[in-house]
Amino acid sequence: MSAYEDLKTRADARWQKLTAGEKPWIRIGTELNGQAAGAVEVLDSLRSELDKRGIEADVGEVGTLGLSYAEPLVDVLKPGSSRLLFSRVTPEDVPTIIEEYIVGDRVPERLAFAYLGDDPIDGVPDLNSMPQYSLQRRIAMRNAGHIAPADILQYIANDGYAALNKALFEMEPGGVIDEMKTSNLRGRGGAGFPAGLKWSFMVNSPGPVKYIACNCEEGDPGAFNDKAILESDPHTLLEGMILAGYATGATNGYVFVRHGHDGPIDRAEQAIKDAYAENILGKNILGSDFSFDIEVALTGDSYVAGEETGMMEAIEGKRSMPRFKPPFPAAAGLWMKPTTINNVKTFSYAPQIVLNGGEWFSNIGVNNSTGTAIACLTGNVTYPGIYEVEMGMTMGQVIEEIGGGVPNGKQMKLLQTGGPLGGVIGLESLDLHIDFDEMQQAGAMFGSGGIIVGDEDASVVDLIRVLVTFCQYESCGKCFPCRLGMTQLLDQIERIARFEGVPGDMEACERVGTTMKIGSLCAHGQLGFNPISSALQHFREEFETHITERRDPTGRTSTKFYYPKSTRPYAEDFSQAQPLKVNI
């Protein structure tokens, strides 16, 4: 029996005991969305109540099903029954769930959300019939909310590390890269560069030391899917990184996370520890000739650390500032050794691509955007959450069918996509397909997957002020066009937001933005004008109303600064302001 077969046998026995045993199996989603809704308190109450009543049950923490609006979710699998999910549970609801359902076999209708399984539960809808779940195509998040992230055997029982075993003993490294190329998986960090092609760049780079780096900085406001994967299913990331290491001849890997995100950090570190214990990391993995090591690397609060060369600087213990390119990371990356960098989602697709074949993945999606997209839907929407959908689905489907549309009878006005360096687009965006190229042509970008919905009361100018404030604050200051350009853009937008703008301000912003795009070293400066340029493309009249009529068409009257005026650089009295003149 091979090392993997032995692991699979143990894992299947564990899974059988949980799913078909004599005790209830209770799962609670304690990923960040659940924690924010009070899941930890519910978990403590549940364990205390079960202990007080002397009831035996397997109680475990899982990640997220993506249904953020329903958190905290308590998922109960009783012997001989389907899974029953209770939503928005409070500690005070726990005795009711235990007394009425676990002990008394009665369904408390007030708390029952949906069932998942082959046997219907009277009066409860099937989760697979609900658009928030049925319209998903879960690949990278296939295990999220179903398995315990801290139990490696649960991952293995659900085909975990089967792709790694296949690659190590049935495929050459070049074969893994060929499958990745066939899949046409494009990087899910924002740029959309083909992952298989990127991996191939490092194959011929000199060794013996090469690195695989996973970028989980994920600093975009409104995007939280990378960290959700780390909290829900960290082993799928590790398996993807090990596959990348095998394919490229790398020796070491780093999972790069911002300091302070304890959930993703703790679960990633536990997964790494368990992988070493089972010989899935370290020397001669699963009895093969391949060895690979992974560790977690932390950074401080730096948005620019998400830029790949800034990330490498941070891992090396330096200030997070971008490097000049070339040389590119595949030739000279971490410690000037060859390095391949992808984000969490990109690596998390790799196990299923290797297991099922690149052609399988390429048949999902649309045009040159294959596979799925993981959308973080927030803002003025009825059902916010994390939804993995096929590429090619329209924004309208995501917002109206999955997200339930805008609440309180109001109309959608705008979408903000792709993070603070992304775009602000209008109602016509509902017809946009989630497609890298189509969205870029429309002045938007999918980026890391954040989709923020604004209703008819949203002020575009105020939203842009928030985004530009963020970008100005997060500029690392290394290159002059970004450092001063972002400050100038913020000054201009704040003047307009305070109804103190003058004719020519928008044109001045455009000149500054053009200079930043041409002269900045990294994407932070190159894309820093994107929020303004996209907003001007779709909502220019709102800016002009602020300038010419001294009013906000949404009725907003606040002129509050997001920075105290005395602490902002270049703050001045704008009462006699003139248009900013920039020569390029």
Side-chain angles (χ1 to χ4, degrees), residues 257-276:
V257 191
R258 185 179 294 206
H259 176 80
H261 292 274
D262 293 340
I265 293 168
D266 292 345
R267 289 185 176 179
E269 289 180 338
Q270 182 63 50
I272 291 170
K273 178 181 177 181
D274 293 342
Y276 274 110

Side-chain angles (χ1 to χ4, degrees), residues 229-400:
I229 292 174
L230 274 187
E231 287 195 87
S232 301
D233 190 17
H235 286 285
T236 198
L237 166 65
L238 299 187
E239 185 172 10
M241 291 181 67
I242 301 168
L243 286 167
Y246 175 70
T248 60
T251 54
N252 296 79
Y254 286 94
V255 180
F256 182 75
V257 191
R258 185 179 294 206
H259 176 80
H261 292 274
D262 293 340
I265 293 168
D266 292 345
R267 289 185 176 179
E269 289 180 338
Q270 182 63 50
I272 291 170
K273 178 181 177 181
D274 293 342
Y276 274 110
E278 299 293 354
N279 190 218
I280 288 169
L281 281 173
K283 300 293 184 183
N284 304 114
I285 291 173
L286 294 176
S288 70
D289 294 330
F290 178 64
S291 302
F292 193 74
D293 293 292
I294 295 179
E295 62 183 277
V296 174
L298 305 181
T299 183
D301 292 329
S302 170
Y303 183 63
V304 174
E307 193 274 335
E308 63 178 14
T309 61
M311 181 199 75
M312 293 189 294
E313 292 285 286
I315 292 176
E316 293 177 11
K318 306 170 188 174
R319 183 178 175 186
S320 300
M321 303 178 82
R323 300 176 182 176
F324 289 96
K325 293 186 288 189
F328 293 94
L334 280 167
W335 293 286
M336 300 307 292
K337 301 294 184 182
T339 303
T340 293
I341 303 165
N342 286 119
N343 82 332
V344 175
K345 293 183 289 293
T346 309
F347 283 124
S348 296
Y349 284 111
Q352 289 295 293
I353 290 172
V354 171
L355 191 62
N356 298 302
E359 187 174 349
W360 162 80
F361 190 84
S362 69
N363 288 327
I364 304 169
V366 64
N367 301 326
N368 200 32
S369 297
T370 61
T372 61
I374 305 178
C376 298
L377 191 58
T378 57
N380 301 128
V381 65
T382 303
Y383 302 124
I386 308 172
Y387 302 109
E388 185 172 359
V389 299
E390 287 195 28
M391 282 283 191
M393 183 176 282
T394 67
M395 285 290 185
Q397 287 177 288
V398 174
I399 293 162
E400 299 292 342

Side-chain angles (χ1 to χ4, degrees), residues 492-506:
Q492 295 287 110
I493 295 299
E494 282 196 338
R495 284 169 52 187
I496 295 169
R498 296 195 313 172
F499 314 117
E500 296 176 0
V502 295
D505 277 349
M506 289 296 92

Side-chain angles (χ1 to χ4, degrees), residues 14 129 134-135 161 229 247 328 348 411 442-443 449 481 510 536 549 554:
R14 169 80 65 84
S129 70
S134 65
L135 292 180
Y161 294 112
I229 292 174
F328 293 94
S348 296
Q411 298 296 313
E510 289 169 347
L536 290 177
E549 301 181 27
T554 65

Side-chain angles (χ1 to χ4, degrees), residues 140-151:
M141 297 191 69
R142 63 195 177 278
N143 293 322
H146 301 296
I147 69 170
D151 188 341

